[in-house]
Every structure is written in C-alpha cells, then in structure tokens.
Amino acid sequence: MNIDSIRNGLVIDHIKSGKAMEIYHYLNLDSLDCQIAIIKNATSKRMGKKDIIKIDAEISVDVDVLGYIDPNITVNFIENGVKVKKLHPELPVQITDIIKCSNPRCITSIEQDIHHIFKLSDKEKGIYRCIYCDSTPKVTKE
Amino acid sequence: MRHLIDISDLSVTEIDELIDVANDIIDNPEKYQEKCKHKKIATLFFEPSTRTRLSFEAAMLELGGSVLGFSEAASSSAAKGESISDTVRVVSFYADIIAMRHFKEGAPMVASMKSDVPIINAGDGGHNHPTQTLTDLLTIKREKGGLDNLTIGLCGDLKFGRTVHSLISAMTRYKNIKFVLISPSELRLPDYIKNDVLEKNNVPYSEYTSIEEAMPELDILYMTRVQKERFFNEADYERLKDSCILNSEKMKFAKEDMIVLHPLPRVNEITTDVDDDKRACYFKQAKNGKYIRMALILKLLEVE
Ligand SMILES: [Zn+2]
C-alpha cells in the first residue's frame, strides 16, 4: 500500500505522537479488513512529532469521540484520491458507552444494562463527569 | 413531570417558592391537611436512615396522604438482585411519588429515567442529599431573615461531607456570600470544589484549623460529623477531633446573632451544654425538614 495514495478513505492527522494506538482501539479499527497504515512520530512543522492513521476504506467515524480523545486531531476525507472534506472535531457535549465510570460507589458498578454517560462539564479544561456520580473518568488525557 | 435529584435541578426562584410554601405551612397547617388526600408516597430506602424516612413519611401523612415502602435493602427486592430500573417501574404503579435513598451514587437518577412518577433523591451514598440542603436553606431564611450577605462557617469533615458540598453549591447562587472553612488538614474541602464552585463563581473563602479563630466573623456555623473511619489510626482521630468540637466555651467568641446548624445525628462534635444557647438551631432545623418536604411533595405532585 502506498500510504500517500489513498483512493477512498480517510486520514486521521495531527494525532499527538504516541496516541495512534489509543485511537486505533477507540475506533475499533481492528475489526476492519481493509488496509490501514499507522505512522508514528512523523515530523510535523506545527507539532514537532505527530502520529497519522490512514484508512483505505470508506468507513463512518464518530468524529466526536476523536474530539474527546484528542481535540487537535484533524480528519481528512478522501474521494478518488482527492481531499474532499477536512474536519476539526470538537469536544463532544456527551459521550455514551465509550468509557466506563471507574468510581466503585457509582450505580453503574451494579446496575445491569446501564449506559455509561459522561457530560462535558468544563469546556476549557476538557473535563467530563459521569452523569450519575459526577466523578471524572480515570483515563488520563493531557 | 419533575424530579429532584440534585439541588441544582431547582432554580433560585423555585427554592424561594418552596421556602414560602413551607413558611405558610408552618403558619397555617390546617390549610394543608387534606391537600394530598388519596395520594401515596413510596419511601424506598435501600440504605437505612430512620430520620430522613420518618421525615418524608410524616410530611406525607400531614398532607393527608399515605405511605408505603421499605427501610433497608435486606427487606426489598434488591436483596434478590432486582435492578433499580425494574424496582422503580413496578413501584410507580403503586405510588404517586417516590423518595429513594440508596448506598450507590446516582441510583435515584437511574430511577428517574425509568419512573412514571416523580423521584426525590433522599440521599445517594456520599453524593447528593438535596432535601437536606432545602432544609438548611429554609432554616437559614427563617433564622437570618434572608439568604444574602452571610458569612458561613463550615466545620468538620469538609472532604467527604456531602451536606457541606451541596450547601456550598446552593449558597453560591446568593449575593455577597463568604465561606470560612474549618477542618483538620486531612479533611479539607476538595480542590475541585474550591476551583469549580467557589473560585469559578468568585465566592471568597478562608481556611482555618480551629473554631475559635474563625468564630468572631461568622453569621452561621454549620457543624458536621467527623467520622472515625475517615482516619487511618486512632491517634490521629483523637488528636484532630477536638479541633472540630463546639462547646459553650467556644460559643463565647461568637456573635450574639450567630446561628449553629448541624444536619444531625451528632455524636460528640457539639457538646450538650450548647443545646440551651439560643443560637443553637439544629433541632429547629430537624423540625423544618418536615415542612420543606411537605412543600416539595406539593410542588412535584403539582397540587395547588
Ligand atoms: Zn459514575
């Protein structure tokens, strides 16, 4: 696969270096059978070093989830070898069933079939809180 | 249909209205004694709290309604492993309103998502206890004449004390409020409340480790329990608990019109010699709890 010549698919760019695998995991990319290139520590004028993921297939991506993981990411949509759209994901207002509440005193620890929902409580700092117990997720984000 | 899960579910105007209704109930109880005739409250207490449960039940009975429910998880379907969602779906066939206490944080919110009748959070673990906060606000309004321009001392376990956290977030919505935080350094108010609630709303606060130093400037002293299990060892507990004990000697440093509040039950953090001081308002506060719950039940059941 020539990583520069995707025909139809998407390029997830400006990923903070070292975070590519985390995004690979969140987007469930291991369930795809198309070609996927993960480029780590590419040089970037703006960032010094960055990671890039190139996916050679038209898949739908929950851009908002990417905004939660890393708001600096850009998503480029490629059609017939041409970039047709570029998106800067924003911090989602709510994330459902992406991360689990880690508070052992939270009702989510015992109630069956419950959705794990976090709401954005501080946009500037990117802080999310569990809607049930108000605790912040343990996943470390910088 | 409305629920009360968190004190911030109510606007300042709605809180003022509840306080007005509660005051009217206190002045004219006979006007209200049949308001909830043929209505039922279910008190679902998955965690025992006799005081809070009786307060809800007395409130409904005084409105002419009736009560059903359970007082501990062991005597409920939860002991058989039933989910909150299922329990609430079923109970909402039998009752017009539900007061729920649960040991897990967020349980009443889960209930509110599945219930056909209003849910009142009667305490969810160490998280929220909005009817305690309403009780505190009613008491402050009655004793101090208003909710603005107050210096409020909070003393005891400020780290885990949910009544303190809720009171802070409720009081920051009023004008010219100042907090004085009194606690051993191990039990200081968490940073996220200082940053996200106090500093974000430009509410001034100061911190002390003993009551005496803080006392002269206070309009209200809100005492809470320091629980032994919060400490790693007995020696720390013994050393620190005295700094958060109020006695008649320390009351001498207080203003003539200061009031002392406590959510009760107390253990030893207020010595009984303070009870006779006219500034001790914690038993009045317990009494007010019933009246504000009556006002809340009327509001949520939309009874005129
Ligand atoms: Zn939670």
Side-chain angles (χ1 to χ4, degrees):
Chain A
M1 173 182 175
N2 181 343
I3 53 170
D4 288 325
S5 62
I6 284 180
R7 291 295 299 165
N8 293 294
L10 36 105
V11 178
I12 304 168
D13 200 357
H14 301 108
I15 302 169
K16 191 173 173 178
S17 80
K19 290 273 184 177
M21 283 315 291
E22 202 177 306
I23 284 160
Y24 184 87
H25 162 74
Y26 274 115
L27 294 179
N28 270 321
L29 296 183
D30 53 356
S31 66
L32 298 176
D33 53 10
C34 66
Q35 298 190 73
I36 296 171
I38 296 167
I39 301 156
K40 296 190 74 167
N41 302 323
T43 46
S44 160
K45 274 186 219 131
R46 182 151 62 87
M47 303 167 69
K49 274 197 265 178
K50 66 176 182 180
D51 288 2
I52 306 168
I53 299 176
K54 297 191 177 192
I55 304 161
D56 199 14
E58 292 172 86
I59 60 159
S60 64
V61 168
D62 184 355
V63 176
D64 283 346
V65 173
L66 293 178
Y68 167 71
I69 301 162
D70 182 350
N72 295 315
I73 282 176
T74 53
V75 183
N76 300 295
F77 294 81
I78 315 290
E79 273 175 39
N80 298 318
V82 182
K83 192 199 295 184
V84 291
K85 195 165 63 166
K86 182 173 183 174
L87 282 180
H88 294 271
E90 286 197 7
L91 282 179
V93 177
Q94 183 174 309
I95 44 178
T96 303
D97 294 332
I98 299 295
I99 40 172
K100 286 195 164 171
C101 183
S102 56
N103 174 6
R105 298 177 307 278
C106 180
I107 185 65
T108 54
S109 66
I110 56 164
E111 182 83 351
Q112 314 131 27
D113 300 326
I114 193 167
H115 292 294
H116 289 253
I117 304 171
F118 285 80
K119 280 206 163 123
L120 183 59
S121 77
D122 188 326
K123 205 174 170 181
E124 266 164 51
K125 292 182 190 152
I127 294 170
Y128 284 83
R129 290 191 185 281
C130 172
I131 64 159
Y132 306 102
C133 71
D134 287 308
S135 66
T136 51
K138 274 238 176 73
V139 184
T140 45
K141 297 204 305 131
E142 296 143 277
Chain B
M1 186 182 60
R2 293 277 302 272
H3 307 284
L4 177 61
I5 305 302
D6 184 313
I7 191 68
S8 64
D9 295 343
L10 295 168
S11 69
V12 171
T13 313
E14 287 177 313
I15 290 175
D16 286 346
E17 286 164 4
L18 285 173
I19 290 174
D20 289 345
V21 172
N23 278 324
D24 194 51
I25 295 171
I26 293 169
D27 295 339
N28 309 290
E30 68 292 338
K31 233 172 88 181
Y32 293 87
Q33 61 199 11
E34 302 221 316
K35 288 272 186 194
C36 287
K37 209 173 172 186
H38 307 305
K39 302 270 188 196
K40 283 168 282 181
I41 189 168
T43 49
L44 309 186
F45 277 53
F46 293 87
E47 174 189 66
S49 172
T50 310
R51 194 177 304 266
T52 305
R53 187 171 53 85
L54 293 183
S55 176
F56 274 105
E57 295 184 353
M60 192 51 151
L61 292 171
E62 250 173 77
L63 291 165
S66 39
V67 301
L68 61 158
F70 52 83
S71 56
E72 55 179 325
S75 60
S76 80
S77 51
K80 301 188 189 89
E82 189 178 45
S83 67
I84 298 288
S85 300
D86 286 2
T87 303
V88 158
R89 270 192 188 156
V90 172
V91 173
S92 57
F93 298 141
Y94 307 143
D96 301 283
I97 188 166
I98 295 172
M100 176 188 281
R101 189 181 188 102
H102 202 284
F103 45 92
K104 287 287 184 183
E105 300 174 8
M109 171 173 264
V110 172
S112 72
M113 292 166 157
K114 292 288 157 65
S115 174
D116 294 328
V117 302
I119 301 283
I120 301 171
N121 179 359
D124 58 337
H127 186 221
N128 280 317
H129 193 4
T131 58
Q132 179 65 51
T133 309
L134 287 174
T135 302
D136 299 342
L137 296 177
L138 171 62
T139 309
I140 293 170
K141 180 85 179 271
R142 285 180 69 80
E143 299 301 322
K144 302 303 292 182
L147 294 162
D148 297 320
N149 309 314
L150 294 167
T151 297
I152 305 167
L154 303 167
C155 178
D157 180 357
L158 307 187
K159 187 173 181 182
F160 301 101
R162 64 176 170 199
T163 51
V164 164
H165 302 170
S166 297
L167 185 63
I168 289 175
S169 61
M171 288 307 296
T172 51
R173 299 197 280 182
Y174 295 91
K175 285 193 210 82
N176 196 19
I177 298 297
K178 196 181 155 202
F179 286 103
V180 177
L181 311 172
I182 311 152
S183 70
S185 56
E186 288 86 344
L187 295 175
R188 272 210 295 253
L189 193 71
D191 283 343
Y192 76 90
I193 296 180
K194 286 182 197 164
N195 301 334
D196 296 359
V197 183
L198 294 173
E199 284 159 23
K200 196 170 163 188
N201 292 295
N202 295 313
V203 176
Y205 66 91
S206 49
E207 293 187 279
Y208 293 93
T209 50
S210 80
I211 296 180
E212 294 95 316
E213 294 172 88
M215 199 66 124
E217 59 176 309
L218 302 181
D219 298 310
I220 297 167
L221 175 58
Y222 196 99
M223 297 291 297
T224 60
R225 227 173 18 258
V226 174
Q227 286 165 292
K228 221 180 207 167
E229 54 270 29
R230 302 295 188 209
F231 290 93
F232 294 113
N233 60 62
E234 187 91 17
D236 273 355
Y237 172 73
E238 289 303 324
R239 177 171 56 83
L240 292 165
K241 74 175 199 306
D242 286 343
S243 63
C244 289
I245 286 181
L246 180 65
N247 56 31
S248 56
E249 201 52 42
K250 293 180 188 173
M251 285 296 283
K252 287 178 185 158
F253 296 97
K255 286 185 192 170
E256 271 305 299
D257 63 348
M258 187 204 63
I259 60 167
V260 181
L261 301 180
H262 188 299
L264 301 182
R266 72 172 152 185
V267 182
N268 58 357
E269 58 279 358
I270 302 178
T271 57
T272 50
D273 59 349
V274 180
D275 296 357
D276 296 328
D277 194 304
K278 66 177 177 31
R279 295 169 288 187
C281 292
Y282 30 91
F283 289 114
K284 283 186 196 169
Q285 187 184 0
K287 190 176 164 195
N288 289 335
K290 180 183 71 183
Y291 298 114
I292 199 75
R293 288 181 177 98
M294 289 170 77
L296 178 67
I297 290 168
L298 291 172
K299 179 182 172 64
L300 296 180
L301 287 178
E302 298 174 27
V303 174
E304 286 299 311

